[in-house]
Amino acid sequence: MNFFKALFGGKEESPEEKRLAEELKNFDILKYDGVKALKTGQWEQAIRCLNHAISIKEDLECRDYLSQALLQNNELTASYEQLQKLQEAEPENQGILLRMAQVAFLMEDYGAMASSCEKALLISQDNLEIYYLYGRACLGQEDLTNALAMYTKAISINENYADAYLMRANVLLEKGEVEDADKDSEWLMERAPEVEDVLLLKAKVEIAKGELAKALSFYNKVIEQNPFSIDGYSERAKLKMQMDDQQGAAEDLAKLKDINPDTMDENLEEKMNEAYKNANPYGF
């Protein structure tokens, strides 16, 4: 090889050039292996490979993949930190800010979530998901008024945004605005009468209206459709206690314990009795 370089005037690689070439080769191998591990669900292997690759060469695509692997491995703070680095490199990339908001939600860091949404809105105000996530951030900060505003804004952009109707109705219920919550629940029932979350919402609305028998019928429908519905059995048990059906409530609690023992404790029935004996559970 050196003979041909000499013959044709080529320059032999210096030790530094050889080292850099070897590093780039290793980088490509590590990145490939990291992405492959990510796609096959080997999160820890993906994290090791991608971290090593980034230590060799800064690469935004590697950081993107690394943030995904960390998220899948439930390393939420580390995933968020990678997204922060991406956002610093691409401050006008709204998609990164949305992902930051989603990870912040999982971290239950609602301040960071709201901040990401605010920055995203400065880039564009037409993305429905921003308002939806911002609403969740407001709820996490117990700011019902702004949560309501965010979901209403989302619906004003797309009047068929069912998820926003569902969230808005729950906020309206919490604010005691039962009539408006009922309107949203009816809108949902017309379009998705078999969806479990819609049926659960409708049951809550009926309880708030004092229509306990109607509420019970909706909880019954939830359980008919999904015999393993934890929310269905839990909420129905509470309602049965309120209706003075202690035996029915006990049966639902027993079923709930069979489905998921982690949802129960020894004093749950007593606690539920105390909470629901003399009061409407929604405080209206």
Side-chain angles (χ1 to χ4, degrees), residues 80 83-84 86-88 90-104 112-124 129-130 133:
Y80 188 82
L83 290 170
Q84 283 182 307
L86 290 173
Q87 200 272 324
E88 289 168 5
E90 298 184 7
E92 298 302 311
N93 189 324
Q94 193 177 63
I96 294 172
L97 287 163
L98 289 177
R99 286 173 59 195
M100 289 175 68
Q102 290 163 348
V103 175
M113 187 181 183
S115 176
S116 294
C117 292
E118 289 167 4
K119 291 177 182 177
L121 284 174
L122 292 175
I123 298 170
S124 169
E129 192 175 0
I130 298 173
L133 290 169

Side-chain angles (χ1 to χ4, degrees), residues 269-283:
E269 186 171 353
E270 290 181 15
K271 292 176 182 177
M272 290 170 67
N273 265 317
E274 181 69 23
Y276 288 90
K277 183 168 59 175
N278 297 315
N280 184 308
Y282 297 96

Side-chain angles (χ1 to χ4, degrees), residues 95-148:
I96 294 172
L97 287 163
L98 289 177
R99 286 173 59 195
M100 289 175 68
Q102 290 163 348
V103 175
F105 174 69
L106 296 174
M107 294 164 61
E108 299 183 0
D109 187 341
Y110 301 112
M113 187 181 183
S115 176
S116 294
C117 292
E118 289 167 4
K119 291 177 182 177
L121 284 174
L122 292 175
I123 298 170
S124 169
Q125 298 184 0
D126 298 327
N127 191 317
L128 292 174
E129 192 175 0
I130 298 173
Y131 295 103
Y132 183 82
L133 290 169
Y134 206 164
R136 297 298 293 264
C138 292
L139 283 180
Q141 296 174 308
E142 299 183 355
D143 183 355
L144 299 182
T145 300
N146 279 318
L148 184 60

Side-chain angles (χ1 to χ4, degrees), residues 152-169:
T152 299
K153 178 63 176 177
I155 291 168
S156 74
I157 297 173
N158 181 356
E159 62 181 12
N160 294 312
Y161 193 3
D163 286 341
Y165 278 98
L166 183 66
M167 293 301 298
R168 186 173 73 172

Side-chain angles (χ1 to χ4, degrees), residues 4 15 19 56-57 71 73 90 102 106 110 118 133-134 171 173 185 206-207 220 236 238 251 264:
F4 285 105
R19 184 187 67 79
I56 295 173
K57 186 179 80 168
L71 179 60
N73 204 44
E90 298 184 7
Q102 290 163 348
L106 296 174
Y110 301 112
E118 289 167 4
L133 290 169
Y134 206 164
V171 174
L173 266 183
S185 72
E206 294 301 333
I207 292 173
N220 290 342
R236 192 172 72 172
K238 295 173 186 177
E251 290 171 356
M264 303 293 293

Side-chain angles (χ1 to χ4, degrees), residues 17-200:
E17 289 172 331
K18 288 181 179 179
R19 184 187 67 79
L20 290 174
E22 185 66 22
E23 282 190 354
L24 288 175
K25 179 182 176 182
N26 290 338
F27 169 84
D28 288 338
I29 292 171
L30 287 164
K31 182 176 180 179
Y32 174 83
D33 288 347
V35 174
K36 181 180 178 182
L38 175 63
K39 292 181 177 179
T40 56
Q42 301 175 69
W43 319 129
E44 293 184 357
Q45 174 69 5
I47 292 166
R48 282 193 294 270
C49 290
L50 293 167
N51 265 322
H52 196 173
I54 292 170
S55 72
I56 295 173
K57 186 179 80 168
E58 176 60 37
D59 184 85
L60 295 181
E61 191 175 35
C62 260
R63 289 199 182 277
D64 188 357
Y65 287 128
L66 178 57
S67 73
Q68 296 176 47
L70 289 164
L71 179 60
Q72 293 292 342
N73 204 44
N74 204 34
E75 297 182 44
L76 302 180
T77 301
S79 176
Y80 188 82
E81 289 171 353
Q82 292 301 320
L83 290 170
Q84 283 182 307
K85 293 180 185 297
L86 290 173
Q87 200 272 324
E88 289 168 5
E90 298 184 7
E92 298 302 311
N93 189 324
Q94 193 177 63
I96 294 172
L97 287 163
L98 289 177
R99 286 173 59 195
M100 289 175 68
Q102 290 163 348
V103 175
F105 174 69
L106 296 174
M107 294 164 61
E108 299 183 0
D109 187 341
Y110 301 112
M113 187 181 183
S115 176
S116 294
C117 292
E118 289 167 4
K119 291 177 182 177
L121 284 174
L122 292 175
I123 298 170
S124 169
Q125 298 184 0
D126 298 327
N127 191 317
L128 292 174
E129 192 175 0
I130 298 173
Y131 295 103
Y132 183 82
L133 290 169
Y134 206 164
R136 297 298 293 264
C138 292
L139 283 180
Q141 296 174 308
E142 299 183 355
D143 183 355
L144 299 182
T145 300
N146 279 318
L148 184 60
M150 290 302 128
Y151 296 128
T152 299
K153 178 63 176 177
I155 291 168
S156 74
I157 297 173
N158 181 356
E159 62 181 12
N160 294 312
Y161 193 3
D163 286 341
Y165 278 98
L166 183 66
M167 293 301 298
R168 186 173 73 172
N170 279 291
V171 174
L172 287 165
L173 266 183
E174 196 164 347
K175 286 174 67 67
E177 299 178 27
V178 179
E179 185 176 346
D180 287 335
D182 195 20
K183 290 177 183 177
D184 281 355
S185 72
E186 286 295 333
W187 187 95
L188 289 161
M189 285 295 295
E190 288 174 7
R191 291 159 179 80
E194 305 301 320
V195 173
E196 183 171 323
D197 285 341
V198 173
L199 292 168
L200 290 169

